Amino acid sequence: QSVLTQPPSVSAAPGQEVTISCSGTSSNIGNNYVSWYQQLPGTAPKLLIYDNEKRPSEIPDRFSGSKSGTSATLGITGLQTGDEADYYCGTWHGGRRVFGTGTKVTVL
Amino acid sequence: QVQLVESGGGVVQPGRSLTLSCAASGFIFGHYAMHWVRQAPGKGLEWVAVIAYDGSNIYYPDSVKGRFTISRANFRNTLYLQMNSLRPEDTAVYYCAREEYGEYYFDNWGQGTLVTVSS
């Protein structure tokens, strides 16, 4: 039921960089802000990025967000083993909220 | 600190009903829109319902519309989700999440409560 498409998985070695794409349409991402959530194994999701590119104060600047047209991107630099998690993008349309399909990040 | 604590999950037979609760503390509950989000075992996140800070606006996705009802009691700092005509595909961990008025992201989540629909 997800209307936002993400790659199922990405991986990189410690210290490297990964990017996760989130593809939508003009009805959702194209006209609204995007947020990103990190879900560590066995835990609840946690807000990582909001309003396309803003970070809550407790989130390190290794995490970044951007948006262009109907797509958004999450970047993680200086990859750490603790970053192994599922990542979801989210936005809204007509009062309803939608999530991406989710991407599993693996640190090799 | 902000706390959201869900309760009410359990095992229920198909076609039966269940009501979930989410107790909020550490913030002015009546100032925030509240959501329910679920996650089936091994699957991604699915948004389930939203209720405005004052209960004036409510939305659902088609998958639960007509079966689920979200409500809130601001004087009790509590959010509810009444789930009727439950189906096996409603089996999931149900999270409540907070959204600041005028914003469109979930800035705090509860730990979740598991609902299993099975005969």
Side-chain angles (χ1 to χ4, degrees):
Chain A
Q1 281 162 326
S2 298
V3 297
L4 306 179
T5 302
Q6 300 178 231
S9 64
V10 297
S11 61
Q16 297 299 303
E17 174 181 358
V18 295
T19 59
I20 300 171
S21 60
C22 174
S23 179
T25 70
S26 58
S27 297
N28 43 62
I29 290 180
N31 281 287
N32 296 303
Y33 285 123
V34 175
S35 51
W36 289 90
Y37 305 88
Q38 177 193 60
Q39 188 176 31
L40 297 169
T43 70
K46 173 184 174 182
L47 178 65
L48 211 56
I49 297 288
Y50 65 98
D51 292 356
N52 301 333
E53 59 185 7
K54 297 177 182 177
R55 283 177 289 106
S57 58
E58 68 273 18
I59 302 301
D61 59 6
R62 299 187 299 106
F63 296 90
S64 64
S66 64
K67 191 188 99 167
S68 178
T70 59
S71 293
T73 301
L74 174 70
I76 310 173
T77 59
L79 203 60
Q80 301 176 0
T81 56
D83 297 333
E84 280 208 338
D86 294 321
Y87 293 81
Y88 295 91
C89 58
T91 189
W92 75 95
H93 169 60
R96 292 162 176 81
R97 311 309 193 258
V98 292
F99 288 104
T101 49
T103 299
K104 182 175 183 60
V105 170
T106 301
V107 182
L108 301 173
Chain B
Q1 73 281 21
V2 174
Q3 270 204 310
L4 297 170
V5 180
E6 302 92 338
S7 60
V11 180
V12 60
Q13 293 180 329
R16 304 298 291 264
S17 299
L18 197 66
T19 298
L20 306 182
S21 300
C22 170
S25 61
F27 65 101
I28 302 175
F29 183 67
H31 285 187
Y32 290 81
M34 295 297 298
H35 297 256
W36 289 99
V37 176
R38 68 183 180 184
Q39 186 170 37
K43 302 297 184 182
L45 302 175
E46 181 187 13
W47 172 75
V48 171
V50 60
I51 185 168
Y53 69 99
D54 59 357
S56 60
N57 287 300
I58 289 174
Y59 295 96
Y60 307 95
D62 290 343
S63 57
V64 307
K65 195 172 185 179
R67 299 188 301 122
F68 289 12
T69 301
I70 188 172
S71 62
R72 64 191 299 160
N74 286 351
F75 67 98
R76 282 199 186 120
N77 292 335
T78 304
L79 175 73
Y80 303 99
L81 184 68
Q82 180 178 351
M83 304 182 292
N84 298 330
S85 303
L86 282 163
R87 306 165 179 169
E89 54 264 36
D90 295 320
T91 294
V93 174
Y94 284 74
Y95 297 100
C96 63
R98 187 184 83 163
E99 180 183 272
E100 189 169 346
Y101 178 74
E103 304 292 348
Y104 294 92
Y105 54 86
F106 311 107
D107 65 355
N108 278 274
W109 299 64
Q111 85 290 345
T113 187
L114 176 61
V115 173
T116 303
V117 184
S118 173
S119 54

